[in-house]
Amino acid sequence: MATTRSKSIYNQYDIRRYIDQNNFGVILNTANAKYNSTNSRNAQWRLLGDWDRPSDSKVWSQGHKTVPIMARASLLSTHGLKPMRSTSGWKFYTGSTPKMGHGYSISEDDLFMLRDARNNTGQDLQTLIYDSLLTNSTNILGGIHNNLTYMCMELASTSEIHEQSVDGVKYDFTFDFDSNQFFTVNPLWFNTDGTPNTSAKVIEDILAMQRTLTSSQGRDVDAWMVNTDTLDMILDHPAVISSFLAWKSAGNSSVITGYTSTRKEIADYLHDRGVWYFLPIDFKSVHEEDGRPVEDAPAFSPYNMVAFNTRQKLFDIKCTNSIWKDRLNYGGIASNTMYSFVEDRIAVLSTWQENPIQNNVEFELYAGPVFKNLRDYALVTLWKGQ
């Protein structure tokens, strides 16, 4: 009897006593449910990308088909030789899928609090452990989506990824774009301190770039992606407002005396003039320093504007299967562990240890964004900060 009692006490806080492998997966999928929509601020990467099929290799190689020049056919004499045109080719770029992850522990202090909560509230320990796992896993999974969003926003707004990890691992990647896909307005629309440059010709610049991209270069782009704050700066620019008021008054200055325009009115005016739809990006993330949240630099560059195609997402999210999946598939799992795979990609490992007594839950994802089509994209530099 004493042996049975001591064993019961020994295993009392092992979460596997209350939550089995299947229920562990249910908890994690429930925690992840709020990130399944583009409406989730932390999972805004879903606006820009789709999961690609997971691979067992960390190395990926992707081809980009270049589009041939549509030159006019030449007039020929009866027996004249036909000029041979350049045909479409392929560009390849390769990289290594980056690994991201973090986790949390239910430590001895946490277990004391769970025990006190059980004694003071009358709730059973299983419910309290379930709630603790769900709450913590929701935040940790949010952080995974948060980092994927950060990478997508950085790549969309700069054409490159320069991700510095907290443990010192740096991930740099530059894609093979044509130089004519990058523009810098001249003069710049804003000064280095963010004040408007009164010499700028905002509307004229936008319309000229749109003509170049679609007519001259033949790119299939139809909208602009821009940082929310930068879009406000554009709509408030004196060159834009003066053009709007001139149109509004139609030469009758009394019409605009004391008139206060809204940004929506101005945006509608720009679209009526032929300026493409704006997709404003408002994403803010934080990292942790000494247990406190510290705001990151903007993931979507405030200095650039991006031309893209609204009919398809910019990115595929390349994925590599975690080795933990092999471990689960081939058996031999230790009795103190549970595995699960959220969205079949985010690997989760729960490990119980006795000394010090705690339960560790770790999350990892091998994934990174790559362009679906390098061609239908362009980046415009509007201003440069201090």
Side-chain angles (χ1 to χ4, degrees):
M1 192 72 176
T3 303
T4 303
R5 181 173 182 274
S6 62
K7 184 177 181 180
S8 175
I9 294 173
Y10 183 72
N11 292 325
Q12 184 174 9
Y13 296 104
D14 186 342
I15 68 170
R16 291 170 303 129
R17 179 179 176 184
Y18 305 97
I19 299 169
D20 61 18
Q21 180 74 52
N22 289 334
N23 285 330
F24 185 55
V26 170
I27 291 173
L28 294 171
N29 287 330
T30 302
N32 188 66
K34 67 181 293 185
Y35 307 116
N36 288 335
S37 167
T38 56
N39 293 327
S40 170
R41 290 184 61 82
N42 290 314
Q44 286 189 47
W45 66 266
R46 296 185 190 275
L47 283 170
L48 308 183
D50 293 311
W51 287 122
D52 200 7
R53 180 178 299 176
S55 164
D56 284 338
S57 173
K58 283 190 65 178
V59 178
W60 50 261
S61 178
Q62 183 172 340
H64 164 56
K65 188 176 182 179
T66 58
V67 180
I69 300 171
M70 196 175 293
R72 289 189 299 119
S74 299
L75 296 178
L76 306 173
S77 61
T78 303
H79 301 290
L81 296 177
K82 302 175 184 66
M84 296 294 102
R85 306 298 187 195
S86 296
T87 57
S88 61
W90 288 83
K91 294 180 181 179
F92 287 91
Y93 52 97
T94 59
S96 177
T97 309
K99 178 182 180 180
M100 64 187 78
H102 54 178
Y104 64 90
S105 294
I106 301 176
S107 65
E108 186 173 359
D109 286 339
D110 297 317
L111 295 173
F112 270 117
M113 287 190 289
L114 289 175
R115 186 172 66 182
D116 288 342
R118 178 197 62 187
N119 294 336
N120 293 329
T121 66
Q123 289 183 286
D124 59 90
L125 199 56
Q126 181 175 7
T127 300
L128 294 169
I129 289 176
Y130 178 96
D131 183 67
S132 178
L133 282 172
L134 181 62
T135 301
N136 289 315
S137 296
T138 299
N139 288 337
I140 293 295
L141 282 166
I144 294 283
H145 289 288
N146 207 320
N147 192 64
L148 199 53
T149 296
Y150 194 95
M151 294 176 72
C152 286
M153 295 302 179
E154 182 181 36
L155 180 55
S157 63
T158 67
S159 77
E160 302 174 351
I161 300 175
H162 299 290
E163 178 74 0
Q164 180 66 54
S165 171
V166 292
D167 63 1
V169 177
K170 189 167 178 58
Y171 183 78
D172 284 302
F173 207 83
T174 303
F175 290 81
D176 190 14
F177 286 102
D178 294 330
S179 60
N180 64 6
Q181 290 177 255
F182 299 93
F183 299 78
T184 300
V185 294
N186 185 24
L188 296 175
W189 293 353
F190 306 97
N191 303 311
T192 55
D193 60 358
T195 57
N197 181 352
T198 55
S199 300
K201 299 179 180 179
V202 177
I203 301 175
E204 292 87 340
D205 287 345
I206 295 176
L207 295 176
M209 286 185 292
Q210 291 178 178
R211 284 192 296 271
T212 298
L213 288 170
T214 57
S215 300
S216 302
Q217 298 182 4
R219 304 194 185 281
D220 190 9
V221 288
D222 59 5
W224 295 105
M225 193 182 307
V226 62
N227 182 288
T228 302
D229 293 337
T230 305
L231 178 57
D232 288 344
M233 292 165 61
I234 293 172
L235 298 178
D236 291 341
H237 197 288
V240 174
I241 291 177
S242 63
S243 177
F244 167 77
L245 292 177
W247 165 81
K248 188 75 175 176
S249 67
N252 184 355
S253 59
S254 62
V255 173
I256 60 172
T257 301
Y259 182 81
T260 302
S261 58
T262 66
R263 286 173 178 157
K264 183 181 184 308
E265 283 182 293
I266 296 174
D268 290 342
Y269 164 71
L270 292 178
H271 299 326
D272 289 343
R273 289 283 308 274
V275 173
W276 294 335
Y277 164 78
F278 291 114
L279 174 61
I281 299 296
D282 181 18
F283 171 72
K284 295 179 176 62
S285 61
V286 299
H287 63 275
E288 185 178 321
E289 292 183 10
D290 299 325
R292 299 182 177 216
V294 178
E295 189 170 316
D296 294 320
F300 195 98
S301 172
Y303 307 118
N304 301 330
M305 190 166 67
V306 173
F308 71 105
N309 185 327
T310 56
R311 296 181 298 281
Q312 70 173 12
K313 295 183 180 180
L314 274 178
F315 306 126
D316 285 323
I317 309 299
K318 293 289 185 180
C319 308
T320 300
N321 286 320
S322 169
I323 292 297
W324 292 350
K325 179 163 284 192
D326 293 342
R327 177 71 169 151
L328 180 63
N329 290 340
Y330 291 106
I333 301 170
S335 61
N336 65 332
T337 61
M338 289 189 295
Y339 291 90
S340 190
F341 298 88
V342 179
E343 301 195 49
D344 203 35
R345 292 168 177 83
I346 305 172
V348 187
L349 170 62
S350 171
T351 307
W352 175 263
Q353 67 180 46
E354 300 292 348
N355 188 22
I357 187 169
Q358 66 182 27
N359 197 90
N360 297 320
V361 185
E362 302 174 56
F363 297 68
E364 72 175 34
L365 172 66
Y366 286 88
V370 297
F371 282 90
K372 286 179 180 286
N373 184 350
L374 291 175
R375 178 172 173 77
D376 295 335
Y377 170 90
L379 186 146
V380 184
T381 300
L382 308 179
W383 64 297
K384 298 177 181 179
Q386 295 174 327

mmCIF file of all heavy atoms in Angstrom, residues 330-366:
data_model
loop_
_atom_site.group_PDB
_atom_site.id
_atom_site.type_symbol
_atom_site.label_atom_id
_atom_site.label_comp_id
_atom_site.label_asym_id
_atom_site.label_seq_id
_atom_site.Cartn_x
_atom_site.Cartn_y
_atom_site.Cartn_z
ATOM 1 N N TYR A 330 9.168 6.385 -36.193
ATOM 2 C CA TYR A 330 9.907 5.130 -36.062
ATOM 3 C C TYR A 330 9.873 4.560 -34.651
ATOM 4 O O TYR A 330 10.516 3.565 -34.364
ATOM 5 C CB TYR A 330 11.357 5.330 -36.518
ATOM 6 C CG TYR A 330 11.451 5.546 -38.004
ATOM 7 C CD1 TYR A 330 11.707 6.806 -38.526
ATOM 8 C CD2 TYR A 330 11.242 4.498 -38.889
ATOM 9 C CE1 TYR A 330 11.769 7.020 -39.891
ATOM 10 C CE2 TYR A 330 11.305 4.694 -40.254
ATOM 11 C CZ TYR A 330 11.562 5.953 -40.755
ATOM 12 O OH TYR A 330 11.612 6.157 -42.112
ATOM 13 N N GLY A 331 9.115 5.204 -33.768
ATOM 14 C CA GLY A 331 8.916 4.641 -32.440
ATOM 15 C C GLY A 331 10.126 4.833 -31.545
ATOM 16 O O GLY A 331 11.046 5.601 -31.842
ATOM 17 N N GLY A 332 10.117 4.097 -30.418
ATOM 18 C CA GLY A 332 11.228 4.204 -29.472
ATOM 19 C C GLY A 332 11.190 5.474 -28.664
ATOM 20 O O GLY A 332 12.214 5.945 -28.182
ATOM 21 N N ILE A 333 9.982 6.059 -28.515
ATOM 22 C CA ILE A 333 9.847 7.318 -27.786
ATOM 23 C C ILE A 333 9.990 7.052 -26.290
ATOM 24 O O ILE A 333 9.442 6.090 -25.757
ATOM 25 C CB ILE A 333 8.490 7.962 -28.080
ATOM 26 C CG1 ILE A 333 8.354 8.215 -29.587
ATOM 27 C CG2 ILE A 333 8.320 9.256 -27.315
ATOM 28 C CD1 ILE A 333 6.978 8.615 -29.999
ATOM 29 N N ALA A 334 10.717 7.920 -25.631
ATOM 30 C CA ALA A 334 10.894 7.780 -24.183
ATOM 31 C C ALA A 334 9.554 7.971 -23.474
ATOM 32 O O ALA A 334 8.672 8.691 -23.950
ATOM 33 C CB ALA A 334 11.913 8.798 -23.682
ATOM 34 N N SER A 335 9.437 7.330 -22.313
ATOM 35 C CA SER A 335 8.164 7.368 -21.586
ATOM 36 C C SER A 335 7.857 8.743 -21.007
ATOM 37 O O SER A 335 6.730 8.999 -20.580
ATOM 38 C CB SER A 335 8.191 6.339 -20.452
ATOM 39 O OG SER A 335 9.244 6.643 -19.535
ATOM 40 N N ASN A 336 8.822 9.638 -20.996
ATOM 41 C CA ASN A 336 8.596 10.966 -20.420
ATOM 42 C C ASN A 336 8.355 12.032 -21.486
ATOM 43 O O ASN A 336 8.455 13.222 -21.219
ATOM 44 C CB ASN A 336 9.788 11.381 -19.554
ATOM 45 C CG ASN A 336 11.055 11.560 -20.377
ATOM 46 O OD1 ASN A 336 11.227 10.931 -21.422
ATOM 47 N ND2 ASN A 336 11.957 12.408 -19.893
ATOM 48 N N THR A 337 8.048 11.641 -22.740
ATOM 49 C CA THR A 337 7.904 12.613 -23.830
ATOM 50 C C THR A 337 6.576 12.438 -24.556
ATOM 51 O O THR A 337 5.980 11.369 -24.583
ATOM 52 C CB THR A 337 9.033 12.464 -24.876
ATOM 53 O OG1 THR A 337 8.965 11.154 -25.443
ATOM 54 C CG2 THR A 337 10.386 12.678 -24.251
ATOM 55 N N MET A 338 6.124 13.545 -25.171
ATOM 56 C CA MET A 338 4.997 13.541 -26.108
ATOM 57 C C MET A 338 5.354 14.460 -27.278
ATOM 58 O O MET A 338 5.991 15.503 -27.078
ATOM 59 C CB MET A 338 3.715 14.047 -25.439
ATOM 60 C CG MET A 338 3.126 13.104 -24.415
ATOM 61 S SD MET A 338 1.473 13.617 -23.848
ATOM 62 C CE MET A 338 1.870 15.160 -23.024
ATOM 63 N N TYR A 339 4.946 14.054 -28.488
ATOM 64 C CA TYR A 339 5.193 14.844 -29.683
ATOM 65 C C TYR A 339 3.868 15.259 -30.323
ATOM 66 O O TYR A 339 2.876 14.542 -30.220
ATOM 67 C CB TYR A 339 5.975 14.034 -30.728
ATOM 68 C CG TYR A 339 7.404 13.722 -30.381
ATOM 69 C CD1 TYR A 339 7.734 12.556 -29.697
ATOM 70 C CD2 TYR A 339 8.430 14.580 -30.756
ATOM 71 C CE1 TYR A 339 9.056 12.252 -29.395
ATOM 72 C CE2 TYR A 339 9.749 14.292 -30.467
ATOM 73 C CZ TYR A 339 10.059 13.129 -29.785
ATOM 74 O OH TYR A 339 11.363 12.838 -29.502
ATOM 75 N N SER A 340 3.894 16.397 -31.011
ATOM 76 C CA SER A 340 2.756 16.788 -31.828
ATOM 77 C C SER A 340 3.264 17.703 -32.943
ATOM 78 O O SER A 340 4.370 18.271 -32.837
ATOM 79 C CB SER A 340 1.696 17.505 -30.991
ATOM 80 O OG SER A 340 0.505 17.662 -31.747
ATOM 81 N N PHE A 341 2.457 17.841 -34.005
ATOM 82 C CA PHE A 341 2.867 18.654 -35.152
ATOM 83 C C PHE A 341 1.696 19.543 -35.566
ATOM 84 O O PHE A 341 0.702 19.062 -36.118
ATOM 85 C CB PHE A 341 3.332 17.768 -36.310
ATOM 86 C CG PHE A 341 4.532 16.947 -35.954
ATOM 87 C CD1 PHE A 341 4.377 15.700 -35.371
ATOM 88 C CD2 PHE A 341 5.799 17.450 -36.140
ATOM 89 C CE1 PHE A 341 5.480 14.950 -34.994
ATOM 90 C CE2 PHE A 341 6.899 16.720 -35.760
ATOM 91 C CZ PHE A 341 6.751 15.468 -35.186
ATOM 92 N N VAL A 342 1.812 20.823 -35.263
ATOM 93 C CA VAL A 342 0.758 21.789 -35.556
ATOM 94 C C VAL A 342 0.833 22.165 -37.031
ATOM 95 O O VAL A 342 1.907 22.499 -37.535
ATOM 96 C CB VAL A 342 0.913 23.050 -34.672
ATOM 97 C CG1 VAL A 342 -0.158 24.068 -34.996
ATOM 98 C CG2 VAL A 342 0.866 22.660 -33.201
ATOM 99 N N GLU A 343 -0.296 22.121 -37.715
ATOM 100 C CA GLU A 343 -0.363 22.363 -39.157
ATOM 101 C C GLU A 343 0.588 21.446 -39.914
ATOM 102 O O GLU A 343 1.035 21.765 -41.023
ATOM 103 C CB GLU A 343 -0.094 23.842 -39.491
ATOM 104 C CG GLU A 343 -1.078 24.786 -38.835
ATOM 105 C CD GLU A 343 -1.051 26.174 -39.435
ATOM 106 O OE1 GLU A 343 -1.104 26.291 -40.662
ATOM 107 O OE2 GLU A 343 -0.995 27.143 -38.659
ATOM 108 N N ASP A 344 0.933 20.322 -39.286
ATOM 109 C CA ASP A 344 1.831 19.319 -39.858
ATOM 110 C C ASP A 344 3.234 19.874 -40.121
ATOM 111 O O ASP A 344 4.021 19.273 -40.857
ATOM 112 C CB ASP A 344 1.252 18.744 -41.160
ATOM 113 C CG ASP A 344 1.834 17.366 -41.483
ATOM 114 O OD1 ASP A 344 2.098 16.603 -40.544
ATOM 115 O OD2 ASP A 344 2.028 17.073 -42.688
ATOM 116 N N ARG A 345 3.573 21.004 -39.483
ATOM 117 C CA ARG A 345 4.863 21.644 -39.742
ATOM 118 C C ARG A 345 5.560 22.135 -38.473
ATOM 119 O O ARG A 345 6.773 22.029 -38.357
ATOM 120 C CB ARG A 345 4.671 22.828 -40.713
ATOM 121 C CG ARG A 345 4.268 22.374 -42.111
ATOM 122 C CD ARG A 345 3.818 23.546 -42.953
ATOM 123 N NE ARG A 345 3.501 23.133 -44.307
ATOM 124 C CZ ARG A 345 2.349 22.610 -44.691
ATOM 125 N NH1 ARG A 345 1.375 22.458 -43.791
ATOM 126 N NH2 ARG A 345 2.141 22.264 -45.948
ATOM 127 N N ILE A 346 4.814 22.729 -37.562
ATOM 128 C CA ILE A 346 5.395 23.233 -36.324
ATOM 129 C C ILE A 346 5.501 22.069 -35.348
ATOM 130 O O ILE A 346 4.492 21.541 -34.878
ATOM 131 C CB ILE A 346 4.550 24.367 -35.718
ATOM 132 C CG1 ILE A 346 4.343 25.489 -36.741
ATOM 133 C CG2 ILE A 346 5.220 24.911 -34.455
ATOM 134 C CD1 ILE A 346 3.361 26.556 -36.282
ATOM 135 N N ALA A 347 6.724 21.630 -35.073
ATOM 136 C CA ALA A 347 6.947 20.467 -34.223
ATOM 137 C C ALA A 347 6.962 20.883 -32.753
ATOM 138 O O ALA A 347 7.555 21.904 -32.393
ATOM 139 C CB ALA A 347 8.269 19.800 -34.585
ATOM 140 N N VAL A 348 6.305 20.089 -31.912
ATOM 141 C CA VAL A 348 6.196 20.391 -30.483
ATOM 142 C C VAL A 348 6.613 19.153 -29.693
ATOM 143 O O VAL A 348 6.139 18.043 -29.967
ATOM 144 C CB VAL A 348 4.768 20.799 -30.087
ATOM 145 C CG1 VAL A 348 4.740 21.280 -28.639
ATOM 146 C CG2 VAL A 348 4.233 21.881 -31.023
ATOM 147 N N LEU A 349 7.500 19.344 -28.737
ATOM 148 C CA LEU A 349 7.971 18.261 -27.875
ATOM 149 C C LEU A 349 7.730 18.637 -26.419
ATOM 150 O O LEU A 349 8.168 19.693 -25.958
ATOM 151 C CB LEU A 349 9.468 18.011 -28.099
ATOM 152 C CG LEU A 349 10.173 17.079 -27.101
ATOM 153 C CD1 LEU A 349 9.587 15.679 -27.149
ATOM 154 C CD2 LEU A 349 11.675 17.061 -27.349
ATOM 155 N N SER A 350 7.012 17.768 -25.693
ATOM 156 C CA SER A 350 6.798 17.938 -24.259
ATOM 157 C C SER A 350 7.645 16.900 -23.524
ATOM 158 O O SER A 350 7.541 15.703 -23.806
ATOM 159 C CB SER A 350 5.319 17.740 -23.919
ATOM 160 O OG SER A 350 5.133 17.699 -22.514
ATOM 161 N N THR A 351 8.485 17.377 -22.616
ATOM 162 C CA THR A 351 9.380 16.483 -21.871
ATOM 163 C C THR A 351 9.217 16.713 -20.381
ATOM 164 O O THR A 351 9.334 17.850 -19.904
ATOM 165 C CB THR A 351 10.853 16.731 -22.260
ATOM 166 O OG1 THR A 351 10.988 16.653 -23.677
ATOM 167 C CG2 THR A 351 11.760 15.692 -21.610
ATOM 168 N N TRP A 352 8.980 15.630 -19.638
ATOM 169 C CA TRP A 352 8.897 15.699 -18.178
ATOM 170 C C TRP A 352 10.235 15.297 -17.588
ATOM 171 O O TRP A 352 10.847 14.317 -18.007
ATOM 172 C CB TRP A 352 7.798 14.779 -17.660
ATOM 173 C CG TRP A 352 7.756 14.738 -16.158
ATOM 174 C CD1 TRP A 352 8.324 13.811 -15.333
ATOM 175 C CD2 TRP A 352 7.143 15.705 -15.313
ATOM 176 N NE1 TRP A 352 8.101 14.130 -14.023
ATOM 177 C CE2 TRP A 352 7.371 15.291 -13.980
ATOM 178 C CE3 TRP A 352 6.417 16.872 -15.544
ATOM 179 C CZ2 TRP A 352 6.903 16.005 -12.887
ATOM 180 C CZ3 TRP A 352 5.951 17.574 -14.463
ATOM 181 C CH2 TRP A 352 6.191 17.157 -13.145
ATOM 182 N N GLN A 353 10.735 16.078 -16.630
ATOM 183 C CA GLN A 353 11.959 15.708 -15.934
ATOM 184 C C GLN A 353 11.747 15.806 -14.432
ATOM 185 O O GLN A 353 10.916 16.585 -13.956
ATOM 186 C CB GLN A 353 13.124 16.604 -16.377
ATOM 187 C CG GLN A 353 13.009 18.065 -15.977
ATOM 188 C CD GLN A 353 14.193 18.889 -16.458
ATOM 189 O OE1 GLN A 353 14.604 18.762 -17.608
ATOM 190 N NE2 GLN A 353 14.731 19.717 -15.591
ATOM 191 N N GLU A 354 12.521 15.007 -13.697
ATOM 192 C CA GLU A 354 12.312 14.889 -12.257
ATOM 193 C C GLU A 354 13.237 15.766 -11.422
ATOM 194 O O GLU A 354 12.913 16.101 -10.290
ATOM 195 C CB GLU A 354 12.499 13.421 -11.837
ATOM 196 C CG GLU A 354 11.539 12.454 -12.518
ATOM 197 C CD GLU A 354 10.103 12.667 -12.075
ATOM 198 O OE1 GLU A 354 9.879 13.391 -11.085
ATOM 199 O OE2 GLU A 354 9.188 12.115 -12.708
ATOM 200 N N ASN A 355 14.400 16.120 -11.968
ATOM 201 C CA ASN A 355 15.345 16.898 -11.152
ATOM 202 C C ASN A 355 16.132 17.863 -12.038
ATOM 203 O O ASN A 355 17.007 17.441 -12.793
ATOM 204 C CB ASN A 355 16.316 15.956 -10.429
ATOM 205 C CG ASN A 355 17.194 16.704 -9.429
ATOM 206 O OD1 ASN A 355 16.843 17.787 -8.982
ATOM 207 N ND2 ASN A 355 18.336 16.135 -9.104
ATOM 208 N N PRO A 356 15.809 19.158 -11.996
ATOM 209 C CA PRO A 356 14.722 19.744 -11.190
ATOM 210 C C PRO A 356 13.371 19.355 -11.781
ATOM 211 O O PRO A 356 13.259 19.135 -12.990
ATOM 212 C CB PRO A 356 14.966 21.246 -11.304
ATOM 213 C CG PRO A 356 15.669 21.404 -12.608
ATOM 214 C CD PRO A 356 16.532 20.190 -12.769
ATOM 215 N N ILE A 357 12.361 19.298 -10.951
ATOM 216 C CA ILE A 357 11.053 18.836 -11.388
ATOM 217 C C ILE A 357 10.374 19.918 -12.225
ATOM 218 O O ILE A 357 10.158 21.042 -11.771
ATOM 219 C CB ILE A 357 10.188 18.438 -10.164
ATOM 220 C CG1 ILE A 357 8.890 17.783 -10.617
ATOM 221 C CG2 ILE A 357 9.936 19.625 -9.236
ATOM 222 C CD1 ILE A 357 8.119 17.134 -9.484
ATOM 223 N N GLN A 358 10.113 19.616 -13.496
ATOM 224 C CA GLN A 358 9.462 20.567 -14.386
ATOM 225 C C GLN A 358 9.080 19.868 -15.681
ATOM 226 O O GLN A 358 9.585 18.785 -15.989
ATOM 227 C CB GLN A 358 10.356 21.765 -14.700
ATOM 228 C CG GLN A 358 11.607 21.447 -15.502
ATOM 229 C CD GLN A 358 12.465 22.680 -15.738
ATOM 230 O OE1 GLN A 358 12.447 23.630 -14.963
ATOM 231 N NE2 GLN A 358 13.210 22.676 -16.816
ATOM 232 N N ASN A 359 8.204 20.515 -16.427
ATOM 233 C CA ASN A 359 7.802 20.026 -17.745
ATOM 234 C C ASN A 359 8.197 21.081 -18.783
ATOM 235 O O ASN A 359 7.802 22.238 -18.684
ATOM 236 C CB ASN A 359 6.297 19.779 -17.810
ATOM 237 C CG ASN A 359 5.917 18.917 -18.988
ATOM 238 O OD1 ASN A 359 5.877 17.701 -18.891
ATOM 239 N ND2 ASN A 359 5.638 19.540 -20.122
ATOM 240 N N ASN A 360 9.014 20.680 -19.743
ATOM 241 C CA ASN A 360 9.443 21.577 -20.810
ATOM 242 C C ASN A 360 8.625 21.303 -22.067
ATOM 243 O O ASN A 360 8.460 20.137 -22.461
ATOM 244 C CB ASN A 360 10.923 21.371 -21.130
ATOM 245 C CG ASN A 360 11.815 21.707 -19.961
ATOM 246 O OD1 ASN A 360 11.586 22.683 -19.253
ATOM 247 N ND2 ASN A 360 12.834 20.899 -19.737
ATOM 248 N N VAL A 361 8.128 22.372 -22.685
ATOM 249 C CA VAL A 361 7.398 22.256 -23.952
ATOM 250 C C VAL A 361 8.136 23.122 -24.967
ATOM 251 O O VAL A 361 8.216 24.339 -24.812
ATOM 252 C CB VAL A 361 5.930 22.708 -23.811
ATOM 253 C CG1 VAL A 361 5.176 22.467 -25.123
ATOM 254 C CG2 VAL A 361 5.241 21.959 -22.673
ATOM 255 N N GLU A 362 8.688 22.480 -25.993
ATOM 256 C CA GLU A 362 9.523 23.177 -26.982
ATOM 257 C C GLU A 362 8.840 23.155 -28.352
ATOM 258 O O GLU A 362 8.225 22.156 -28.728
ATOM 259 C CB GLU A 362 10.888 22.500 -27.077
ATOM 260 C CG GLU A 362 11.654 22.447 -25.761
ATOM 261 C CD GLU A 362 12.923 21.628 -25.886
ATOM 262 O OE1 GLU A 362 13.747 21.960 -26.765
ATOM 263 O OE2 GLU A 362 13.080 20.642 -25.140
ATOM 264 N N PHE A 363 8.995 24.255 -29.077
ATOM 265 C CA PHE A 363 8.385 24.411 -30.396
ATOM 266 C C PHE A 363 9.488 24.732 -31.399
ATOM 267 O O PHE A 363 10.356 25.566 -31.125
ATOM 268 C CB PHE A 363 7.381 25.562 -30.402
ATOM 269 C CG PHE A 363 6.205 25.378 -29.482
ATOM 270 C CD1 PHE A 363 6.355 25.393 -28.101
ATOM 271 C CD2 PHE A 363 4.937 25.204 -30.000
ATOM 272 C CE1 PHE A 363 5.271 25.231 -27.261
ATOM 273 C CE2 PHE A 363 3.838 25.046 -29.168
ATOM 274 C CZ PHE A 363 4.002 25.058 -27.796
ATOM 275 N N GLU A 364 9.452 24.097 -32.563
ATOM 276 C CA GLU A 364 10.420 24.439 -33.603
ATOM 277 C C GLU A 364 9.771 24.343 -34.976
ATOM 278 O O GLU A 364 8.853 23.555 -35.210
ATOM 279 C CB GLU A 364 11.657 23.541 -33.528
ATOM 280 C CG GLU A 364 11.455 22.110 -33.965
ATOM 281 C CD GLU A 364 12.764 21.331 -33.972
ATOM 282 O OE1 GLU A 364 13.626 21.611 -33.113
ATOM 283 O OE2 GLU A 364 12.913 20.424 -34.818
ATOM 284 N N LEU A 365 10.254 25.196 -35.877
ATOM 285 C CA LEU A 365 9.759 25.222 -37.250
ATOM 286 C C LEU A 365 10.922 25.519 -38.177
ATOM 287 O O LEU A 365 11.648 26.498 -37.986
ATOM 288 C CB LEU A 365 8.676 26.289 -37.423
ATOM 289 C CG LEU A 365 8.202 26.563 -38.859
ATOM 290 C CD1 LEU A 365 7.482 25.348 -39.428
ATOM 291 C CD2 LEU A 365 7.302 27.797 -38.915
ATOM 292 N N TYR A 366 11.110 24.660 -39.166
ATOM 293 C CA TYR A 366 12.052 24.926 -40.253
ATOM 294 C C TYR A 366 11.243 25.511 -41.410
ATOM 295 O O TYR A 366 10.539 24.784 -42.115
ATOM 296 C CB TYR A 366 12.734 23.648 -40.716
ATOM 297 C CG TYR A 366 13.780 23.094 -39.784
ATOM 298 C CD1 TYR A 366 13.440 22.222 -38.777
ATOM 299 C CD2 TYR A 366 15.124 23.451 -39.924
ATOM 300 C CE1 TYR A 366 14.401 21.694 -37.920
ATOM 301 C CE2 TYR A 366 16.097 22.939 -39.071
ATOM 302 C CZ TYR A 366 15.730 22.056 -38.077
ATOM 303 O OH TYR A 366 16.684 21.546 -37.240
#
